[in-house]
Amino acid sequence: MDDQYSNPWKTIHHRMVYENPWIHVREDAVIRPDGEPGIYGVIHMKSKAIGIIPIDERENIYLVGQYRYTIDQYSWEIPKGGCLGGEEFLVAAKRELLEETGLEARSWRLLGRTHLSNSVTDDEAYYYLATDLVQHEARPEGTEKLQCQRIPFEEALRMVLAGEITDSLTMIAILHYSLLRARKM
């Protein structure tokens, strides 16, 4: 009896196509599920993605805006960044929140984990709720030209539902938190 959840792909060999400090791109020669030969491109992310939903005592959320080179447009997102090998996820989340917004949170809760585009990449993200916030000075990296805005959470949810926020991790985190709020966490 065939297990419906077993891997129907057979990998013949891997070929590294490109590598830099953040990603590794490979092309695999495969036998497809239909038995025919083929290729599959895989982008391996060398870090995990970390996202933070900073919520203040009035249910405002802090969003970070920046121009995204890859999509050639401006994007409003939750504070987020990468967690390089060996760094703890929560440590990375605290670092990213402080860097991008100047906020420090006294209370943290892991909300979830997601694969952001699992048809072409192994990009995995963890997202946290950060509350009991204290404002400090932001320290963005040299690759970041950021704006930070504090808006009512309901406005951020409206932006997601209206298609004004299109970043997948931001959408997932805001929708997840919205469901938790509706259920009174």
Side-chain angles (χ1 to χ4, degrees):
M1 185 169 162
D2 190 31
D3 180 5
Q4 67 179 345
Y5 298 113
S6 65
N7 182 359
W9 295 82
K10 181 177 180 187
T11 305
I12 307 303
H13 66 81
H14 306 289
R15 178 175 71 90
M16 198 269 289
V17 176
Y18 174 77
E19 186 171 22
N20 68 29
W22 304 277
I23 64 172
H24 174 124
V25 180
R26 74 172 202 258
E27 181 180 274
D28 293 351
V30 298
I31 301 298
R32 303 179 328 193
D34 64 4
E36 295 296 317
I39 61 170
Y40 208 108
V42 177
I43 303 168
H44 166 69
M45 306 303 290
K46 294 185 179 181
S47 64
K48 303 292 184 198
I50 301 294
I52 305 99
I53 304 170
I55 301 288
D56 70 13
E57 68 283 350
R58 293 195 170 132
E59 284 294 305
N60 292 308
I61 186 172
Y62 290 78
L63 296 178
V64 176
Q66 64 183 305
Y67 179 86
R68 287 297 191 179
Y69 184 88
T70 52
I71 60 173
D72 195 23
Q73 68 184 50
Y74 203 82
S75 178
W76 285 103
E77 305 164 4
I78 59 173
K80 61 185 188 165
C83 177
L84 296 173
E87 186 177 26
E88 293 179 23
F89 298 146
L90 182 56
V91 170
K94 290 177 178 182
R95 175 181 45 75
E96 288 294 339
L97 181 62
L98 186 60
E99 279 179 12
E100 295 190 357
T101 66
L103 292 170
E104 179 183 7
R106 293 184 183 130
S107 180
W108 289 87
R109 177 179 169 194
L110 177 64
L111 291 185
R113 166 184 165 260
T114 184
H115 290 99
L116 298 174
S117 185
N118 64 7
S119 64
V120 295
T121 179
D122 63 0
D123 198 7
E124 183 178 34
Y126 294 81
Y127 53 99
Y128 289 85
L129 173 63
T131 57
D132 196 7
L133 306 173
V134 177
Q135 185 69 60
H136 300 284
E137 186 177 333
R139 301 179 210 142
E141 296 177 357
T143 59
E144 299 172 321
K145 184 177 178 185
L146 306 175
Q147 291 185 60
C148 184
Q149 70 171 338
R150 184 183 75 185
I151 60 173
F153 180 79
E154 292 301 323
E155 174 62 10
L157 180 58
R158 184 204 64 75
M159 292 170 72
V160 167
L161 297 175
E164 296 169 24
I165 291 177
T166 60
D167 173 69
S168 62
L169 181 53
T170 300
M171 293 174 69
I172 291 164
I174 287 174
L175 291 171
H176 187 156
Y177 181 66
S178 176
L179 290 171
L180 290 175
R181 284 176 73 215
R183 293 181 178 165
K184 306 291 186 221
M185 296 201 279

